[in-house]
Amino acid sequence: MATGYEYEDAAAAANYDEQSGSHRQDLGYDPNFVPDSVKSFVVHLYRHIREKNVYEIHQMYETSFQTLSERLFKETPWPSVDAVAHYVDNDHVFCLLYREMWFRHLYARLSPTLKQRIDSWDNYCSLFQVVLHGVVNMQLPNQWLWDMVDEFVYQFQSFCQYRAKMKNKTEQEIAFLRQHDQAWNVYGVLNFLQALVEKSMIIQILEQEKEGLEQFTATDGYDYSGGSNVLKVLGYFSMVGLLRVHCLLGDYHTGLKCLLPIDISQQGVYTSVIGSHITTIYHYGFANLMLRRYVDAIREFNKILLYIYKTKQYHHKSPQYEQILKKNEQMYALLAICLSLCPQVKLVEETVNSQLREKYGEKMIRMQRYDDEAFAIYDELFSYACPKFITPSAPSFEEPLVNYNQDAYRLQLKLFLYEVKQQQLLSGVRTFLKVYSTISLAKLASYMEVDEPTLRTILMTYKHKTHAVDSEGKIISNADVDFYIDDDMIHVVESKPLKRYGDYFLRQIVKLEGVINDMDRIKLE
């Protein structure tokens, strides 16, 4: 168990705080000072990695590292890699892994300097080069491997946002940016992720699994025959990383194409880590929303929100808990947008629907009006729930220096609101089509106060806006009410919702169990 070596003892940790607290304040952070508990941590972690003891590595990574960070390094970085290297035989790969954790802690707790951002990029380059071109004979927990890809993309996004704020940059910072213009280059980031996908042969492995020739998903990506899971699982998670990067760039079609080898309608390795599961569905749903594939977005948002609703209490002590709650709220906002543009409530479970109505019920009613207030709500929800879009190109270093970190977001917001405005006429059409099973063009034109040619244009727009092209190039319908025209008569085809009884009976069973438990507690005299 990991508990035996989380600390040498609690007193040692407390003693370190007492002795070094004033030392920190007087002399600042000493990167070469290694507390006994950290020595113990790196020695045991190194041993477990060499022994491929995935369970113990996971315990140390998830629990011990977080506990030590909270106790000893709440406002400072961990000791430098040079200070701990001799405790682990100066092992090159372990030192790269330690630095990866070191930088992740720095980003989470402090504000990295420009040099530290560049150093982190160099470390990722070295680490991925070893994985791609070296022999990595170790097994690491899926959580750690996911965090590597997730943090790699996050730091790329963070660097692009930082670099885009040119207004207050000093001459030294600008000179440093010019000197290291290849650091966090978008092509470099995409090339590393794509190289991991290709070198791992994960796409072929997933294809073979469908034919029963591989056991990748069944073993959660781990290799129980003594091999390594690192390259394969990094390649797998890199497909999710590529989806995320392309969403940040506004290239939704390419993003979804990168995710195609993973069947998100099934359980998979991506669902074995809660952060990976949420990130995958959030970006998948958002990309489909922007491509007008509302039904796909609604279906997946519904599934993940129901899953979070049922399981979030189990992640209460997880370091990712706050992020889970934030993404949960963002996805409810995106679901509200989807259902306002494509009212397919029948696709949403009752539990999710009741939560949605509680959070956004009033706003969703106002969003149906398509007036200035409605557009303001669409703007608000999109701005709250969208990814932090980036401009990947290097800035102009010439005067005057300006901030352009919001440019990509403004462009995506403009495109989204333009789409919303195009849907304005459709709400009126949908209202009338829901009332009638058949209606003449002339009658509908008089109701809508337009002439027949204009009505035909509106109906063609409705057809266009309620259909989209899926990833296989097929035209799919998002319409809750469809129609066809025959001899100037509109014939309405309304999709019939499937009646679901399961949820109702499950809730009644839970209520009954509660009543039985209450009755069992009553003592009869």
Side-chain angles (χ1 to χ4, degrees), residues 216-318:
F216 181 76
T217 303
T219 62
D220 276 341
Y222 293 110
D223 191 323
Y224 291 110
S225 59
S228 171
N229 70 328
V230 173
L231 180 58
K232 283 190 293 188
V233 177
L234 276 178
Y236 181 92
F237 286 137
S238 290
M239 291 189 284
V240 180
L242 284 166
L243 166 66
R244 184 176 166 192
V245 172
H246 286 299
C247 280
L248 293 174
L249 299 173
D251 186 357
Y252 308 110
H253 181 77
T254 305
L256 290 175
K257 199 174 175 183
C258 291
L259 196 70
L260 270 180
I262 300 175
D263 182 0
I264 64 160
S265 66
Q266 304 289 329
Q267 294 284 308
V269 175
Y270 78 97
T271 62
S272 67
V273 179
I274 183 71
S276 159
H277 192 181
I278 291 173
T279 298
T280 303
I281 302 304
Y282 167 79
H283 288 93
Y284 174 87
F286 185 82
N288 277 303
L289 163 62
M290 296 300 281
L291 292 172
R292 292 207 324 272
R293 301 174 188 169
Y294 302 120
V295 169
D296 287 341
I298 292 167
R299 192 176 284 122
E300 292 307 322
F301 282 142
N302 169 64
K303 285 196 314 198
I304 189 69
L305 289 169
L306 189 63
Y307 174 78
I308 294 171
Y309 179 80
K310 289 178 178 177
T311 61
K312 65 183 177 186
Q313 67 268 28
Y314 303 119
H315 300 282
H316 187 66
K317 293 183 179 178
S318 165

